[in-house]
mmCIF file of all heavy atoms in Angstrom:
data_model
loop_
_atom_site.group_PDB
_atom_site.id
_atom_site.type_symbol
_atom_site.label_atom_id
_atom_site.label_comp_id
_atom_site.label_asym_id
_atom_site.label_seq_id
_atom_site.Cartn_x
_atom_site.Cartn_y
_atom_site.Cartn_z
ATOM 1 N N VAL A 355 81.197 69.975 110.717
ATOM 2 C CA VAL A 355 81.125 68.533 110.329
ATOM 3 C C VAL A 355 82.227 68.126 109.449
ATOM 4 O O VAL A 355 82.561 66.975 109.269
ATOM 5 C CB VAL A 355 79.759 68.161 109.572
ATOM 6 C CG1 VAL A 355 78.582 68.335 110.527
ATOM 7 C CG2 VAL A 355 79.469 69.041 108.358
ATOM 8 N N ARG A 356 82.993 69.140 108.854
ATOM 9 C CA ARG A 356 83.997 68.737 107.980
ATOM 10 C C ARG A 356 85.267 68.360 108.770
ATOM 11 O O ARG A 356 85.528 68.900 109.822
ATOM 12 C CB ARG A 356 84.446 69.943 107.115
ATOM 13 C CG ARG A 356 83.283 70.292 106.206
ATOM 14 C CD ARG A 356 83.836 71.267 105.171
ATOM 15 N NE ARG A 356 84.949 70.690 104.387
ATOM 16 C CZ ARG A 356 84.852 69.927 103.345
ATOM 17 N NH1 ARG A 356 83.604 69.675 102.926
ATOM 18 N NH2 ARG A 356 85.889 69.445 102.814
ATOM 19 N N LYS A 357 85.951 67.314 108.268
ATOM 20 C CA LYS A 357 87.135 66.842 109.093
ATOM 21 C C LYS A 357 88.217 68.005 109.240
ATOM 22 O O LYS A 357 88.778 68.002 110.335
ATOM 23 C CB LYS A 357 87.880 65.687 108.191
ATOM 24 C CG LYS A 357 87.192 64.326 108.328
ATOM 25 C CD LYS A 357 88.119 63.280 107.830
ATOM 26 C CE LYS A 357 87.355 62.112 107.177
ATOM 27 N NZ LYS A 357 87.211 62.324 105.770
ATOM 28 N N GLU A 358 88.276 68.841 108.290
ATOM 29 C CA GLU A 358 89.359 69.897 108.280
ATOM 30 C C GLU A 358 89.006 70.811 109.460
ATOM 31 O O GLU A 358 89.958 71.481 109.943
ATOM 32 C CB GLU A 358 89.365 70.753 107.099
ATOM 33 C CG GLU A 358 89.718 70.135 105.787
ATOM 34 C CD GLU A 358 88.495 69.471 105.129
ATOM 35 O OE1 GLU A 358 87.496 69.094 105.771
ATOM 36 O OE2 GLU A 358 88.603 69.423 103.878
ATOM 37 N N SER A 359 87.908 70.767 110.085
ATOM 38 C CA SER A 359 87.621 71.745 111.156
ATOM 39 C C SER A 359 88.381 71.442 112.406
ATOM 40 O O SER A 359 88.576 72.240 113.295
ATOM 41 C CB SER A 359 86.146 71.841 111.533
ATOM 42 O OG SER A 359 85.755 70.530 111.955
ATOM 43 N N ASP A 360 88.971 70.189 112.427
ATOM 44 C CA ASP A 360 89.844 69.929 113.500
ATOM 45 C C ASP A 360 91.083 70.941 113.459
ATOM 46 O O ASP A 360 91.628 71.251 114.566
ATOM 47 C CB ASP A 360 90.371 68.482 113.416
ATOM 48 C CG ASP A 360 89.257 67.514 113.616
ATOM 49 O OD1 ASP A 360 88.220 67.928 114.121
ATOM 50 O OD2 ASP A 360 89.436 66.370 113.210
ATOM 51 N N SER A 361 91.514 71.218 112.361
ATOM 52 C CA SER A 361 92.676 72.153 112.341
ATOM 53 C C SER A 361 92.292 73.366 111.618
ATOM 54 O O SER A 361 91.786 73.418 110.540
ATOM 55 C CB SER A 361 93.763 71.412 111.287
ATOM 56 O OG SER A 361 94.485 72.386 110.723
ATOM 57 N N LEU A 362 92.470 74.429 112.545
ATOM 58 C CA LEU A 362 91.857 75.692 111.990
ATOM 59 C C LEU A 362 92.505 76.358 110.767
ATOM 60 O O LEU A 362 91.899 76.892 109.970
ATOM 61 C CB LEU A 362 91.897 76.732 113.110
ATOM 62 C CG LEU A 362 90.649 76.480 113.989
ATOM 63 C CD1 LEU A 362 90.828 77.240 115.319
ATOM 64 C CD2 LEU A 362 89.501 77.063 113.269
ATOM 65 N N THR A 363 93.799 76.163 110.786
ATOM 66 C CA THR A 363 94.552 76.654 109.559
ATOM 67 C C THR A 363 94.028 76.004 108.336
ATOM 68 O O THR A 363 93.694 76.562 107.330
ATOM 69 C CB THR A 363 96.088 76.420 109.684
ATOM 70 O OG1 THR A 363 96.393 76.383 111.151
ATOM 71 C CG2 THR A 363 96.851 77.274 108.855
ATOM 72 N N THR A 364 93.750 74.795 108.426
ATOM 73 C CA THR A 364 93.334 73.956 107.215
ATOM 74 C C THR A 364 91.948 74.456 106.876
ATOM 75 O O THR A 364 91.519 74.564 105.799
ATOM 76 C CB THR A 364 93.184 72.438 107.515
ATOM 77 O OG1 THR A 364 94.220 72.092 108.458
ATOM 78 C CG2 THR A 364 93.531 71.654 106.151
ATOM 79 N N LEU A 365 91.120 74.714 108.020
ATOM 80 C CA LEU A 365 89.762 75.137 107.793
ATOM 81 C C LEU A 365 89.653 76.526 107.057
ATOM 82 O O LEU A 365 88.968 76.684 106.144
ATOM 83 C CB LEU A 365 88.981 75.269 109.110
ATOM 84 C CG LEU A 365 87.496 75.641 109.074
ATOM 85 C CD1 LEU A 365 86.735 74.615 108.242
ATOM 86 C CD2 LEU A 365 86.880 75.945 110.387
ATOM 87 N N SER A 366 90.519 77.444 107.528
ATOM 88 C CA SER A 366 90.491 78.791 106.891
ATOM 89 C C SER A 366 90.955 78.620 105.489
ATOM 90 O O SER A 366 90.400 79.269 104.469
ATOM 91 C CB SER A 366 91.331 79.836 107.648
ATOM 92 O OG SER A 366 91.918 79.273 108.805
#
Side-chain angles (χ1 to χ4, degrees):
V355 292
R356 296 191 58 84
K357 279 197 213 90
E358 294 90 331
S359 63
D360 295 344
S361 148
L362 276 167
T363 325
T364 336
L365 179 67
S366 358

